Amino acid sequence: MARFQPFVMERMMSKFEKAVEYNLSESGVHPVTFKELIQGVPGALDRLLATEMDYAHANGIPELRRNIAALYAGAGPENVLVTVGAIEANYDILAALVAPGDEIVVMLPNYMQIWGMAKNLRADLKTFPLAEKFGWKPDLDKLRKAVTKKTKLIAVCNPNNPSGYILTREEMEAVVETARKAKAWILADEVYAGAERVAEEETPSFYGMYEKVLAVGSLSKAYGLPGLRAGWVVGPAKIVDRIWARHEYITLSVSMLSNHLAAIALSPEVRPRLIRRARQYIRRGYPVLEEWMKGQGDIFSLTPPQAAAIAFVRYKLKVNSTKLAARLREEKSVLIVPGDHFGLDHHLRISFGLPHEILRPALGRIRDLFVELRK
Ligand SMILES: Cc1ncc(COP(=O)(O)O)c(C=O)c1O
């Protein structure tokens, strides 16, 4: 059997997120209820009750594709493929574009799906870093060095998981310029766009900056709807059709109910309410995390995340992050993601986009473990 690179973080979360008392491993905000989603939307319940449990359009119902396309300047429904979460969008894109031996360049740290898939596809994997010592700014020289004429695809995550860094316009242009020179595709995973902590402006998409961009989005993070399992890719119609051909092999379509609920979520009437809600969780949760960090002396340091509901905190103890996370889980029933999962030990990824009554006691338990470790 071929060597297989497991998705280490998702394996850990799949196994333990429902088993612990406090789950601080999620990167999105506290989830929306069905009631909250459809409340105040005229006719929504009747519409759902009347929906036939048929196969949906394999590429997404037209209303949903129209609502998604409206988020990207210059895009139409023919540019959109609806997938089972952003995770399927990323998967299908790689399946369509990357063959064994193809060179791909991935931003690190990152949600490690594309990194792991590149290994499983036997691609020639190169990376470029976001530099923590420069507030997680991308090292563009390293990007330029990594990209060659053979580079097929450059994968970025903006806003970034786990650092919450948002690329500046100049940095985005530099990525585009580098890709253009190599005629490489840009896979822009933009699932945290809309979940900005400080800025009011939504993070702009790479879509429209260059003709070879595939922009990936999802309802899981900025909309608080991970359980709908609805994501998408937006790109040139011809290549979206090729990606769709992979989608047919693996999921065929997103469920009919999810298609309708996603269309409601992304309607101009509901979308602003969901974005406001996510930002509220992020903006109210962050000061609690910050205050908690200050209460631990100088053990923690953090570049404040500009977006997403996660903080990638560095700690000063000589304890490995995987071991620390395991103790936290076993002894305190709290799940967080160890820095090891991003190739950066001595960090912890901690969610904070949660109600205070969950966040405060969970952080209290992490503090208790750190008190014990320091003794
Ligand atoms: C950067 C990034 N991309 C994709 C995903 C997968 O999201 P979805 O729930 O839409 O499949 C995640 C989930 O954490 C993520 O952080």
Side-chain angles (χ1 to χ4, degrees):
M1 261 226 320
R3 255 178 309 117
F4 177 68
Q5 171 64 48
F7 195 161
V8 181
M9 180 180 74
E10 291 295 353
R11 277 264 76 192
M12 180 200 79
M13 287 170 70
S14 311
K15 286 190 172 166
F16 301 115
E17 67 189 348
K18 303 291 184 201
V20 291
E21 285 173 53
Y22 294 107
N23 178 18
L24 299 193
S25 70
E26 248 311 321
S27 63
V29 297
H30 195 59
V32 174
T33 62
F34 178 70
K35 188 172 173 186
E36 217 179 335
L37 173 58
I38 64 164
Q39 214 155 35
V41 182
L45 192 56
D46 286 341
R47 168 184 173 171
L48 293 164
L49 290 173
T51 300
E52 287 181 354
M53 295 298 104
D54 192 4
Y55 287 107
H57 291 67
N59 58 339
I61 60 171
E63 179 189 348
L64 174 56
R65 280 184 291 119
R66 276 197 304 275
N67 287 349
I68 293 168
L71 305 176
Y72 299 85
E78 67 285 3
N79 298 111
V80 179
L81 172 71
V82 177
T83 55
V84 179
I87 202 156
E88 198 220 338
N90 286 334
Y91 192 96
D92 294 345
I93 292 169
L94 261 67
L97 294 182
V98 180
D102 280 352
E103 188 174 281
I104 86 162
V105 177
V106 178
M107 169 190 273
L108 283 186
N110 206 329
Y111 181 63
M112 300 300 267
Q113 182 196 2
I114 292 169
W115 179 90
M117 265 199 79
K119 289 189 168 246
N120 288 333
L121 286 167
R122 312 284 172 252
D124 181 4
L125 173 65
K126 295 179 168 181
T127 63
F128 74 100
L130 298 179
E132 184 175 19
K133 64 178 173 197
F134 300 119
W136 296 113
K137 286 181 91 53
D139 188 330
L140 295 170
D141 285 336
K142 290 210 170 123
L143 168 67
R144 290 184 193 105
K145 277 194 196 120
V147 173
T148 72
K149 290 238 159 355
K150 290 197 308 188
T151 303
K152 196 76 175 276
L153 179 139
I154 301 173
V156 298
C157 179
N158 187 48
N160 177 255
N161 171 4
S163 66
Y165 182 77
I166 302 177
L167 296 172
T168 63
R169 175 55 69 171
E170 293 71 34
E171 288 161 351
M172 290 175 77
E173 279 164 4
V175 172
V176 167
E177 240 4 82
T178 310
R180 196 188 291 282
K181 275 192 195 142
K183 298 192 176 68
W185 285 94
I186 295 178
L187 190 175
D189 185 333
E190 299 171 341
V191 296
Y192 299 100
E196 291 75 17
R197 184 177 66 83
V198 191
E200 284 309 312
E201 191 209 353
E202 283 184 33
T203 307
S205 176
F206 273 90
Y207 186 81
M209 292 180 74
Y210 166 53
E211 54 287 3
K212 293 182 84 174
V213 168
L214 295 161
V216 170
S218 168
L219 287 184
S220 298
K221 314 296 175 185
Y223 302 90
L225 293 163
L228 288 190
R229 307 306 303 126
W232 58 86
V233 52
V234 181
K238 218 166 129 190
I239 195 82
V240 164
D241 190 63
R242 272 177 60 195
I243 297 165
W244 180 359
R246 274 60 187 185
H247 168 75
E248 276 153 3
Y249 263 114
I250 188 149
T251 59
L252 189 55
S253 60
V254 170
S255 83
M256 184 63 108
L257 276 181
S258 285
N259 263 276
H260 281 274
L261 287 165
I264 292 171
L266 290 177
S267 65
E269 295 74 35
V270 177
R271 181 179 185 272
R273 159 161 68 86
L274 295 178
I275 294 285
R276 230 176 8 252
R277 176 189 178 279
R279 287 178 170 187
Q280 262 174 15
Y281 271 116
I282 290 170
R283 292 168 188 195
R284 288 182 187 161
Y286 185 71
V288 172
L289 179 97
E290 210 177 22
E291 186 189 292
W292 169 84
M293 275 188 5
K294 280 190 197 139
Q296 324 295 309
D298 65 351
I299 204 161
F300 295 117
S301 57
L302 170 71
T303 302
Q306 296 171 39
I310 40 176
F312 199 46
V313 178
R314 177 191 269 273
Y315 61 88
K316 261 201 217 151
L317 289 184
K318 280 200 182 122
V319 186
N320 165 261
S321 62
T322 301
K323 288 195 179 135
L324 203 156
R327 275 194 66 179
L328 204 50
R329 194 182 73 232
E330 285 160 12
E331 297 172 24
K332 309 290 178 198
S333 202
V334 177
L335 193 68
I336 49 96
V337 183
D340 276 344
H341 289 187
F342 306 94
L344 290 169
D345 194 10
H346 299 105
H347 289 76
L348 303 174
R349 196 190 76 176
I350 303 175
S351 329
F352 59 79
L354 298 164
H356 287 184
E357 57 277 20
I358 296 175
L359 187 58
R360 285 189 197 280
L363 291 176
R365 291 193 190 189
I366 303 178
R367 181 200 50 227
D368 293 346
L369 181 66
F370 270 88
V371 169
E372 289 163 32
L373 287 168
R374 288 168 93 169
K375 269 185 199 155

